[in-house]
Amino acid sequence: MYRNSVIRSAALALAISLSLGAPSAFAADQATASASTTAVQRKAIAQGLYELAFSPKQNAVFVASSGGFGDAAGPSQVLRLNPETLAVETAIPLERKAFGVVLDDANNRLYVGNTVDTSVTVVDTATNKSVGIVQLMEKKVGKDGKAAYTHDLRELVVDGANNRLYVTGHSGEGSVLFVVDTQSLKVINTIPGLGNAKAPGLALDAKAKRVYTSNLLAEVVTVGTDSGKVEQRFKVSAEQPMNIALDPAGKRLFVTDQGSEMIRKYQASSSGFESKHPGQRVLVLDRTTGKELASIPTDAGPLGILLDAPRKRLYVTNRDGGTVTAYNSDTYKQVATYAVPTHPNSLALDAKKNVLYVTVKNGDSEAKGSEESVARIAL
């Protein structure tokens, strides 16, 4: 029982990581939108790249490399890159495969999600060393007599000031939110109620003591960090709500609605879900009421999302479109497009220099074992 469900769950989690309401009223402004290639610098780095983070304190980009899978797989590691040239400055070896990351720059910590091991590796960014592993749950023995994890991972968020790390644990039988004390590196709570489906999106409002998650039952679920329980859940028109960005100065929540055929099949097979919307947009919600404020069309397969609130810019990776699109976050009009084929995945921002970093996954045409890339976009 457990083994089959976990294999399916892990496969979908990796696929999501790879891909990893009101009618639309805001078409792209063709007068201001531009296809730009001169601003894009790109470098092949390593196999199996996933999420990345920019550290102003270290003046470095940290990117997770799982090493890939199979006989041609490379080592699992976190790579420290020069932010100007993208050259690898340091390779930090890991015991477990690396996928999601979140940076606590003030405390010199990078937390790395080990999706298939349901654990988190802690990296010291000042010494460039792994300093510990947090096991979020133990394996359970299924009817076949074999032990396996019942949940896998995707996103992480950190509240450095309050010494808390939050990680979603996925399961079709009930996704949860793991709460980790970052001083003791121990799990102090496992909060149920995120839905009986994958819960891909995760965002933190530390000041308001709220964590926001999305799930593939077309819901946004809010957890109170003080109460340790689900406070609200909203049904939304986004059928495949993926990554989330919060407006720190207001009530808006930005959610990518991917529109993947593979995920539609998963939804239909697991819960009989009937798709009625093609996705390929960003949904803007009032996070206190769930009210839909806008629907912003994107290129194909939107996944990663990042809000630069001071500059009023919203950035989205479009996995199937091979682009990063930029929008005015107030008017929702498209203002630029950056070509980064094949599959742009995750985003990080150097806010001071106004530079965007993007991991780019390989497509089917690349040779097995080929290195994947990081792109640097001067905005």
Side-chain angles (χ1 to χ4, degrees), residues 24-46:
S24 173
F26 302 96
D29 183 349
Q30 295 302 319
T32 57
S34 61
S36 175
T37 56
T38 57
V40 179
Q41 175 186 350
R42 180 167 168 170
K43 188 176 181 65
I45 302 295

Side-chain angles (χ1 to χ4, degrees), residues 83-331:
E84 299 294 331
T85 66
L86 302 180
V88 175
E89 295 181 332
T90 306
I92 306 169
L94 304 181
E95 293 179 16
R96 302 180 178 186
K97 288 188 177 296
F99 297 93
V101 303
V102 67
L103 176 69
D104 179 0
D105 212 21
N107 293 305
N108 300 326
R109 289 292 184 266
L110 183 76
Y111 298 95
V112 184
N114 312 127
T115 293
V116 296
D117 294 296
T118 316
S119 63
V120 174
T121 298
V122 185
V123 172
D124 185 317
T125 56
T127 63
N128 298 314
K129 293 181 179 179
S130 171
V131 294
I133 294 176
V134 184
Q135 189 64 53
L136 300 175
M137 71 184 316
E138 299 301 325
K139 292 180 178 180
K140 292 185 178 180
V141 177
K143 291 182 179 180
D144 60 0
K146 296 180 179 179
Y149 297 110
T150 59
H151 292 64
D152 54 61
L153 311 180
R154 186 169 184 271
E155 293 294 277
L156 312 87
V157 292
V158 66
D159 181 355
N162 292 302
N163 305 309
R164 292 293 182 266
L165 174 72
Y166 301 93
V167 188
T168 46
H170 295 169
S171 170
E173 298 178 3
S175 290
V176 300
L177 185 68
F178 297 109
V179 185
V180 176
D181 183 314
T182 57
Q183 291 185 314
S184 66
L185 297 183
K186 301 292 185 183
V187 177
I188 58 172
N189 200 2
T190 300
I191 302 171
L194 301 192
N196 293 344
K198 292 290 180 182
L202 183 63
L204 169 70
D205 185 339
K207 185 176 180 181
K209 299 180 179 179
R210 291 292 183 268
V211 170
Y212 298 87
T213 70
S214 62
N215 67 38
L216 295 184
L217 297 174
E219 291 181 323
V220 170
V221 181
T222 306
V223 176
T225 60
D226 51 351
S227 68
K229 64 181 183 181
V230 171
E231 298 288 350
Q232 290 180 302
R233 64 190 325 123
F234 302 120
K235 200 74 175 178
V236 297
S237 64
E239 294 180 355
Q240 297 178 17
M242 300 296 286
N243 286 27
I244 300 173
L246 296 178
D247 179 357
K251 297 179 179 180
R252 291 181 300 171
L253 189 73
F254 299 88
V255 186
T256 49
D257 183 8
Q258 191 167 65
S260 161
E261 184 61 28
M262 178 193 66
I263 296 176
R264 285 194 190 96
K265 291 178 180 178
Y266 163 78
Q267 291 170 314
S269 65
S270 63
S271 60
F273 185 86
E274 182 180 352
S275 178
K276 297 180 180 178
H277 195 284
Q280 300 187 15
R281 60 173 175 162
V282 171
L283 190 64
V284 188
L285 302 172
D286 182 317
R287 56 181 153 125
T288 63
T289 66
K291 179 182 178 182
E292 186 170 328
L293 304 176
S295 178
I296 311 170
T298 65
D299 290 347
L303 178 64
I305 189 166
L306 186 151
L307 175 66
D308 182 358
R311 292 187 176 89
K312 299 181 179 180
R313 287 293 180 267
L314 184 71
Y315 300 102
V316 177
T317 60
N318 304 291
R319 271 192 50 83
D320 296 335
T323 59
V324 172
T325 40
Y327 305 87
N328 182 302
S329 60
D330 282 356
T331 67

